Amino acid sequence: MATAEDELLPPRLPELFETSKQLLDEVEVATEPTGSRVIQDKVLKGLDLLKKAAEMLSELDLFSRNEDLEEIVSSDLKYLMVPAFQGAFAMKQVNPSKRLDNLQWAREHFLNYLTQCQYYHVAEFELPKTKTNFTENNTANSSMAYPSLVAMASQRQAKIERYKQKKEVENRLSAMKSAMESGQADDEHVHEYYLLHLRRWIGISLEEIESIDQEIKILRGKDSSKEVSTSHSSHQDRPPMKLFVPTRNMVQTKVFGAGYPGLASMTVNDWYDQHQKFGALPNQGIAKKTSEFRTAAQQQDQEQEEEDDEQAVHRAREWDDWSDTHPMGYGNRQNMASNSPYTAGRPSPLECAERAVAQRKEGRAFRKDFQRSQNADVCC
């Protein structure tokens, strides 16, 4: 009878806290993907248990702003971590449509936990900005082209310090865990053990809030870009696209005849007759040009030969006059050339010049007759 009554009673606050803490540890060390059904069921169950625990804490009013950290019962210190556990479970939810709401809800709970810890002076840290300050800070940072180097250096130093403190706290917790599980720890050790847990979750909450702020900024930028693209697409009225499919007949007609831009307009005989009528055939033009060229060349050669004949006659006469006053062998002391048999019977230079002129005249007459006969053949 007593067992049935115990089953009907609602779970107590320690049971809710320990069960939710165990579920969170299982989710953290699970090898399965976060989006799997098993993990998501544990996340939803843990959120439900923590919600009930938070309602019990508000009803019992365990923590008061009028007391200090040393005045709180050591076994009750662990309940300060309920908002941090709620934020951790909310970060494990993977619904894409509600991701922004889950992030904001988780940030609220992490910030609530940090506010309580700062009020009770659990550790020294800088409290992140609230929701209104966070939005204002985002707009201010977006207007700045480059972040401050001093701010970046201070953030890096703060992360290094938190990492060192986290490692130190974890080492001390692992050393005290065996004594707490055996139940041999006194009240002072219990107080210190839960105080170390509070400090550990302070570092975790600060890191989670930084990552949440970055993810919220990305999601909001993504939503704004989608809105801009949809507004642009709605304003632009594009004409409907016309489908164009080139058929085989169209291409074939362009290549093999009909529709081809270079079709013949006359036959070869018509073209030949037309050009012959206007005297533009290649043979006619070449013959005409050749005869004109030959005529000009003959005139030029004739003038040159006449000039050469006059000069030759003039030189021959000068040589003849000089030979009259200077007989052959003149200037030869031995006078051997005057009686030489090789010089007897030779014509004088004047006679040679006259003979050369006569031969040239005969050659010109022959060439003229030959050209007349050639021109007569071409014309015929």
Side-chain angles (χ1 to χ4, degrees), residues 330-366:
Y330 178 79
N332 190 352
R333 294 181 182 181
Q334 301 296 329
N335 199 16
M336 295 177 64
S338 60
N339 298 324
S340 175
Y342 297 103
T343 58
R346 286 187 177 181
S348 63
L350 182 60
E351 293 176 353
C352 292
E354 291 176 352
R355 290 179 183 177
V357 171
Q359 291 176 357
R360 290 176 181 174
K361 288 181 179 179
E362 292 178 358
R364 285 197 296 270
F366 177 77

Side-chain angles (χ1 to χ4, degrees), residues 220-249:
R220 286 178 177 171
K222 187 177 179 181
D223 294 339
S224 62
S225 63
K226 285 182 179 179
E227 291 176 359
V228 171
S229 63
T230 52
S231 63
H232 280 300
S233 61
S234 62
H235 287 303
Q236 292 176 356
D237 296 333
R238 296 182 180 179
M241 299 293 292
K242 293 182 179 180
L243 185 61
F244 175 74
V245 180
T247 60
R248 182 178 179 182
N249 295 331

Side-chain angles (χ1 to χ4, degrees), residues 32 75 96 120 126 195 274 283 326 328 349:
E32 299 173 355
S75 59
Y120 288 113
E126 185 179 356
L195 189 62
Q274 183 180 0
N283 294 337
H326 299 78
M328 189 173 294

Side-chain angles (χ1 to χ4, degrees), residues 154-170:
S154 61
Q155 290 176 3
R156 180 176 179 274
Q157 189 64 29
K159 287 181 180 180
I160 293 173
E161 292 296 331
R162 286 203 301 267
Y163 180 76
K164 291 180 180 179
Q165 292 174 6
K166 181 181 178 181
K167 287 297 180 182
E168 182 181 357
V169 168
E170 287 178 355

Side-chain angles (χ1 to χ4, degrees), residues 41-242:
D41 289 343
K42 290 182 180 180
V43 169
L44 294 177
K45 185 178 180 181
L47 287 172
D48 186 40
L49 294 176
L50 289 172
K51 183 180 179 181
K52 294 177 180 178
E55 292 175 355
M56 285 186 181
L57 287 174
S58 62
E59 291 176 1
L60 296 173
D61 198 10
L62 291 179
F63 307 107
S64 174
R65 295 294 180 94
N66 297 324
E67 58 184 1
D68 296 332
L69 185 65
E70 289 78 10
E71 297 177 1
I72 300 175
V73 181
S74 300
S75 59
D76 293 341
L77 285 175
K78 58 185 178 181
Y79 300 126
L80 287 173
M81 294 184 287
V82 170
F85 288 175
Q86 287 178 312
F89 273 118
M91 292 293 292
K92 299 297 181 181
Q93 292 179 314
V94 292
N95 191 354
S97 60
K98 298 181 180 180
R99 182 60 180 171
L100 185 59
D101 297 334
N102 293 334
L103 290 174
Q104 293 175 350
W105 193 78
R107 191 180 191 278
E108 265 183 49
H109 284 80
F110 282 128
L111 191 61
N112 185 17
Y113 170 73
L114 292 175
T115 305
Q116 288 183 357
C117 291
Q118 191 179 44
Y119 179 79
Y120 288 113
H121 303 286
V122 177
E124 294 182 0
F125 61 92
E126 185 179 356
L127 192 66
K129 294 180 174 58
T130 57
K131 188 174 181 180
T132 56
N133 294 334
F134 169 69
T135 55
E136 293 175 359
N137 190 33
N138 278 343
T139 55
N141 289 335
S142 61
S143 61
M144 296 175 61
Y146 298 99
S148 174
L149 295 177
V150 178
M152 292 172 64
S154 61
Q155 290 176 3
R156 180 176 179 274
Q157 189 64 29
K159 287 181 180 180
I160 293 173
E161 292 296 331
R162 286 203 301 267
Y163 180 76
K164 291 180 180 179
Q165 292 174 6
K166 181 181 178 181
K167 287 297 180 182
E168 182 181 357
V169 168
E170 287 178 355
N171 292 332
R172 292 175 64 181
L173 284 172
S174 61
M176 298 176 65
K177 187 176 181 180
S178 59
M180 290 293 298
E181 291 178 353
S182 62
Q184 298 177 359
D186 55 3
D187 186 69
E188 183 178 355
H189 284 84
V190 172
H191 186 86
E192 184 180 0
Y193 180 76
Y194 287 123
L195 189 62
L196 290 175
H197 269 293
L198 292 174
R199 290 172 180 172
R200 175 175 175 269
W201 274 98
I202 287 174
I204 294 173
S205 300
L206 291 173
E207 292 177 358
E208 291 293 341
I209 286 178
E210 287 182 2
S211 64
I212 287 171
D213 293 343
Q214 293 176 1
E215 190 171 353
I216 288 176
K217 186 177 180 181
I218 293 171
L219 291 175
R220 286 178 177 171
K222 187 177 179 181
D223 294 339
S224 62
S225 63
K226 285 182 179 179
E227 291 176 359
V228 171
S229 63
T230 52
S231 63
H232 280 300
S233 61
S234 62
H235 287 303
Q236 292 176 356
D237 296 333
R238 296 182 180 179
M241 299 293 292
K242 293 182 179 180

